[in-house]
Each structure stands twice: as C-alpha cells, then as structure tokens.
C-alpha cells in the first residue's frame, strides 16, 4: 500500500498492462479454440460428403488426411472434396502403395533421389534430390521412382508429423542434363494435387545462375502455397546459413548443404533398407494378406484386416 501511495499512477499502469496482457492471452486462446472447432466441423462435413468408403480409400482418408486437403483448398469443403476424389481415382489406377523398390531401383543407382538417414529439427523425413546425377531417360520411370520415395518418406514419418523436407543439390547440374520441363510439371502436379501439404519446405541449395531461366518457367506451375515453401539458399549469405541451421542440426547436415556430415550414398545398403520398408508397407496396406485383386480407390472392395492407419 505504501508503494502504491507513493506512485499511484505507476501502480495503476502496471495493473492495467497486466489486465491487457491477460485479456490478449485469453482472447488468443479462445480464437485458437474457435478455429480448431471450425476445422473439426469442416472435417466432419467433408467426411460425410464423401459417402461410404471401403478398402484402401477408407484407410487413406483419415482425419489428418482430410485436414490436409482442406488446408490445401483454404477449408472449402466442395473444392477439397473434388481434389480428394481426384486423388482417390489416381491412387486407384496408379497404385502408389504397391510400387516396390525392385521396380525402380535402376533409377536410384546414382543416388539422384533418396531418403536421408536424418530428420529435420521437426522430425520430418528428408528427401535429397540431386538433379545433376540424372541417369535415365524414361519420364514415366522417373516419376514412378519419385512417387515411391514420397510414399517411403511418409511411411517413415514419426507419429504426429505430416510433412517432409526436400534438399536439392545442384552439383553437376547444367542445361544439358536438366530435368525436362514436362517432367518438372508432372512432378509438381503430382506433389500438389495428390500429396497436398506433405511438403513443408524445399531448399534449393546454391543453384547456378543458369538455373534462373529454368526457374522462370517452372515457378508458374506452382500454386501460391507451394511457391512460398521454396527457399533459395546460398552458402555465403548469412540469412541463408541461419535459415538452414533453424531447420537442421549442422552435425547431421551434409557438407553439400553447409553442414558437417559426409554425404554418402551406398546403393546396395539403401536397397536393403527399401526392401525392409517394402515389407513394412505391405503390412500397413494389408497387401501381405490380400494381394492386389483389382479393387482399390473408391470402389467397393473386401475390407482389409484392421491395422494401424497410416499418417495421411
């Protein structure tokens, strides 16, 4: 009381500020709860709009999956439904969960794309892409290889994590061996349309100046959400270095990306890991108990035995 008597203005000011801060925190908390409630309602609405699902479609369409499609379409249920139904049709015909490493292993011989043996600071799987090490000419097989590795990255996500990170190394890249525009567009379409909100960030590390011409074309294929996730990183730029360190432990990050670790790709060892993951994937999708019988996607199919649902 004595202190307040000496400085009533200061005391009341402090109390007022405390009240304002408490109100703001309370208000922010209420806003967050309200948004979460709205999102839950949208998820329920989308689930109902899809109608009865069975087989792999039912297994694929978890609540987390539905929320990713809603997020990609700014929580518009009709647009999200259309997007998701297109993915279910694509998965029904392409069957990405059935691709096995032995089908695409030749594409991986140079290590042009592979899943890293480390995660980022958020626990995300990391795909390393080295376009300068392209070793084949078949666009279909290249896409199949990438789809396989995207599915594999998802398979190896820790519980509660939905996204992956991409590290792109331009060593050896030139206009003579660059990815064809058609291939780049197809890659972008599959990633955006059938794996929405799976990519958290893509680091383009030290791209050469001649890449700018290629990028000017490719960037028009990207939707605004994906475009914002693409980060150009330059080793001599302080902000770039800090950005990489905010996402990765430098001790785990390969020197090719500004870290301290040695990047080694052993095709035989990686093939063994993929073979083990193929077994895990088959169990997840019940392919070990129910071989492919033509039923998939949104078709009515025999129900697989209950298994832990995939993170989608």
């Amino acid at each position: 009381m004595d202190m307040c008597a000496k400085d009533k203005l200061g005391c009341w000011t402090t109390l007022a500020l405390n009240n304002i801060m408490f109100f703001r925190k309370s208000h922010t908390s209420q806003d967050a709860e309200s948004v979460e409630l709205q999102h839950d309602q949208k998820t329920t609405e989308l689930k109902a709009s899809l109608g009865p699902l069975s087989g792999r479609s039912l297994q694929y369409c978890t609540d987390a999956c539905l929320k990713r499609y809603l997020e990609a379409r700014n929580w518009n249920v009709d647009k999200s439904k259309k997007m998701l139904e297109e993915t279910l049709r694509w998965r029904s015909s392409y069957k990405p969960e059935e691709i096995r490493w032995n089908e695409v292993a030749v594409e991986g011989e140079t290590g042009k794309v592979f899943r890293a043996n480390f995660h980022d600071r958020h626990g995300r799987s990391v795909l390393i892409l080295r376009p300068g090490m392209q070793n084949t000419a078949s666009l279909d097989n290249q896409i199949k290889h990438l789809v396989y590795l995207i599915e594999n990255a998802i398979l190896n996500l820790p519980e509660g994590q939905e996204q992956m990170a991409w590290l792109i190394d331009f060593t050896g890249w030139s206009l003579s061996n660059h990815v064809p525009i058609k291939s780049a567009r197809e890659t972008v379409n599959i990633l955006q349309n059938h794996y929405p909100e799976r990519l958290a960030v893509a680091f383009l590390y030290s791209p050469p100046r001649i890449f700018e011409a290629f990028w000017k074309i490719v960037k028009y294929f990207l939707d605004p959400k994906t475009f914002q996730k693409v980060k150009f990183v330059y080793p001599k730029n302080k902000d770039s270095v800090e950005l990489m360190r905010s996402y990765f432990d430098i001790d785990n990050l390969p020197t090719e990306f500004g870290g301290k670790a040695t990047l080694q790709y052993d095709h035989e060892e990686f093939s063994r890991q993929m073979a083990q993951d193929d077994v895990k994937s088959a169990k997840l999708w019940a392919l070990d108990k129910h071989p492919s019988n033509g039923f998939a996607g949104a078709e009515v199919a025999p129900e697989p035995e209950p298994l832990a649902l995939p993170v989608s």
Side-chain angles (χ1 to χ4, degrees), residues 23-38:
F23 175 78
R24 285 179 177 175
K25 288 181 180 179
S26 177
H27 189 66
T28 301
S29 177
Q30 291 175 359
D31 286 346
E33 290 177 1
S34 177
V35 170
E36 185 176 355
L37 180 60
Q38 290 175 19

Side-chain angles (χ1 to χ4, degrees), residues 139-140 143 179-189 214 221:
L139 171 59
D140 290 343
I143 294 297
V179 176
I181 296 297
K182 182 180 179 181
S183 177
R185 180 169 57 190
E186 183 68 14
T187 298
V188 169
N189 286 341
F214 183 76
F221 304 149

Side-chain angles (χ1 to χ4, degrees), residues 271-309:
S271 294
R272 281 193 288 270
Q273 294 175 11
M274 294 304 98
Q276 292 173 0
D277 282 352
D278 284 349
V279 174
K280 184 164 61 172
S281 177
K283 289 181 178 179
L284 181 67
W285 291 101
L287 297 176
D288 57 337
K289 296 181 176 62
H290 300 281
S292 178
N293 56 5
F295 293 105
E299 301 174 11
V300 176
E303 293 286 348
E305 294 182 14
L307 290 172
L309 293 179

